[in-house]
Amino acid sequence: MTARRLSVIAASVLVAAAFAWAFVIPNLRPHVFHGVVMQSLAEAPAIDLQATTGDLVSLDSFSGSLVVVYFGYTHCPDVCPTTLSTLNKALSRMGDKADDVEVVMVTVDPQRDTVALLAEYMAYFNESFIGLTGSVEDIATVATTYGVYFAANEGDGESGYTVDHTAHLMVIDRAGHLRLVLPPHLGPEEIAADLEYLS
Amino acid sequence: MKRIVGFVSVAAIAVSACGSPPGVEARDAWSRPVPPVAPATAVFVEIHNGTTDVVTLTGADSAACSELQLHETALDEAGVMSMRPLAGLAIAPGDKETLAPGGIHLMCMSPDTALEEFAITLRLRNAEDVVVEVIVEDR
């Protein structure tokens, strides 16, 4: 075997190895979730609230879809718009797979977040995003069953009060089970990867 | 004569290199686009303290906001987000502070959401106010 032929074979092997490393091996690896996986046998707790679509909704309304549940409010200047914008970017990355993802934000400030305000606020980030509201008691019930904390603070000036709240995203799978908790500050790419895997 | 001209030129360059005395500089100010109905938004900015004193950001004003308050967002171990007003943000001499999402920000109440950019005036203790242009963009 000539030295030239040996060089050609070695180069071919190197190219094949690089191709496998770049395109084949990543697809063989199991998906590593960015969020915290929940192994819940029971169905996700009920959510029966007033939707910005004008209907009363329950989780059954979204049966067969992945549901991303967030608790936030429209007077929130930083984390809530950042989260909704990030979710919109995540869905954009998912292409057609995003059609089966429902994003809902349950307001933790029902006194100020009217249905009309919530509807316009949510639609700005993505036409498909839905806001949910209800009485303080109903929202507290839903939040408690999801392990979500919220409490209003005394405010000053025009900003009025702020509301402390759990900033995690909860993902309910197609079978209606709470499957994933996404911590705040995950980027669109990471969220899209987890949602695509579950979709 | 040539020597005199040369000396004058070097002196002029040296003076222009010094320029105005080092002060406080605000860079990369931005705000996320929010819905027209949004009651509030946040403004983020990098503030460089080029002075030899501690400078404190105490607040800001803008025609685009009915009120601008210095706030801090904090996230605890349980993932609970809380936001509190800050009396001031001290910046050490030669240092910088970055107001960024999930941390310290200027809370703009009743924002004029039609604007693609707007000016804010940073109120500082130990330094003159600084005006900076805020770019509205989704990052």
Side-chain angles (χ1 to χ4, degrees):
Chain A
M1 194 175 283
T2 65
R4 185 173 180 179
R5 184 171 288 181
L6 273 174
S7 306
V8 170
I9 291 171
S12 303
V13 168
L14 277 174
V15 169
F19 181 83
W21 178 261
F23 300 106
V24 179
I25 292 173
N27 291 324
L28 296 176
R29 291 188 194 124
H31 177 71
V32 178
F33 280 99
H34 301 282
V36 178
V37 178
M38 313 291 284
Q39 298 292 353
S40 172
L41 295 175
E43 289 195 350
I47 298 178
D48 295 307
L49 292 168
Q50 171 76 46
T52 46
T53 49
D55 306 318
L56 284 170
V57 297
S58 66
L59 276 183
D60 297 342
S61 319
F62 307 120
S63 180
S65 297
L66 276 182
V67 186
V68 181
V69 183
Y70 178 62
F71 290 77
Y73 67 114
T74 66
H75 275 73
C76 164
D78 181 11
V79 171
C80 305
T82 300
T83 301
L84 293 173
S85 171
T86 302
L87 277 170
N88 178 52
K89 288 174 192 156
L91 264 53
S92 296
R93 299 181 73 93
M94 292 174 66
D96 292 345
K97 287 185 175 177
D99 293 345
D100 292 331
V101 179
E102 298 283 356
V103 172
V104 300
M105 182 176 88
V106 178
T107 179
V108 290
D109 186 14
Q111 285 164 322
R112 292 185 296 191
D113 284 345
T114 62
V115 171
L117 173 58
L118 263 179
E120 202 171 331
Y121 190 84
M122 296 299 286
Y124 178 85
F125 292 98
N126 187 305
E127 286 287 340
S128 73
F129 287 6
I130 297 169
L132 298 178
T133 187
S135 67
V136 175
E137 293 76 20
D138 287 347
I139 289 171
T141 300
V142 172
T144 303
T145 54
Y146 278 87
V148 166
Y149 168 86
F150 71 97
N153 297 295
E154 288 292 321
D156 61 343
E158 194 196 329
S159 64
Y161 57 89
T162 60
V163 184
D164 295 353
H165 64 92
T166 304
H168 290 139
L169 296 165
M170 260 73 69
V171 181
I172 297 163
D173 68 16
R174 293 169 177 281
H177 295 154
L178 180 58
R179 186 71 188 281
L180 196 61
V181 176
L182 299 168
H185 305 319
L186 282 185
E189 193 174 339
E190 295 157 321
I191 293 173
D194 279 5
L195 294 180
E196 270 190 45
Y197 184 77
L198 292 178
S199 66
Chain B
M1 184 63 183
K2 274 185 181 174
R3 276 190 185 173
I4 294 171
V5 170
F7 175 77
V8 170
S9 302
V10 169
I13 291 167
V15 168
S16 68
C18 291
S20 53
V24 176
E25 207 180 321
R27 298 177 195 161
D28 195 24
W30 68 284
S31 181
R32 194 180 301 286
V34 289
V37 291
T41 188
V43 174
F44 310 107
V45 61
E46 259 183 38
I47 306 170
H48 297 251
N49 179 5
T51 76
T52 52
D53 296 314
V54 172
V55 165
T56 302
L57 174 69
T58 56
D61 294 306
S62 173
C65 314
S66 60
E67 198 176 344
L68 261 173
Q69 300 175 347
L70 188 60
H71 274 230
E72 181 169 28
T73 298
L75 197 68
D76 72 12
E77 290 172 354
V80 174
M81 186 278 298
S82 60
M83 200 174 64
R84 299 283 184 273
L86 268 186
L89 173 65
I91 310 167
D95 210 348
K96 73 165 185 180
E97 287 288 343
T98 304
L99 278 61
I104 298 172
H105 58 269
L106 289 161
M107 179 163 158
C108 166
M109 297 304 302
S110 308
D112 184 344
T113 57
L115 300 174
E116 291 178 356
E117 55 181 85
F118 56 91
I120 62 170
T121 304
L122 301 175
R123 304 290 178 205
L124 302 165
R125 191 184 307 136
N126 264 355
E128 288 185 11
D129 295 346
V130 171
V131 177
V132 61
E133 202 66 22
V134 178
I135 306 296
V136 179
E137 63 182 6
D138 198 8
R139 294 189 182 180

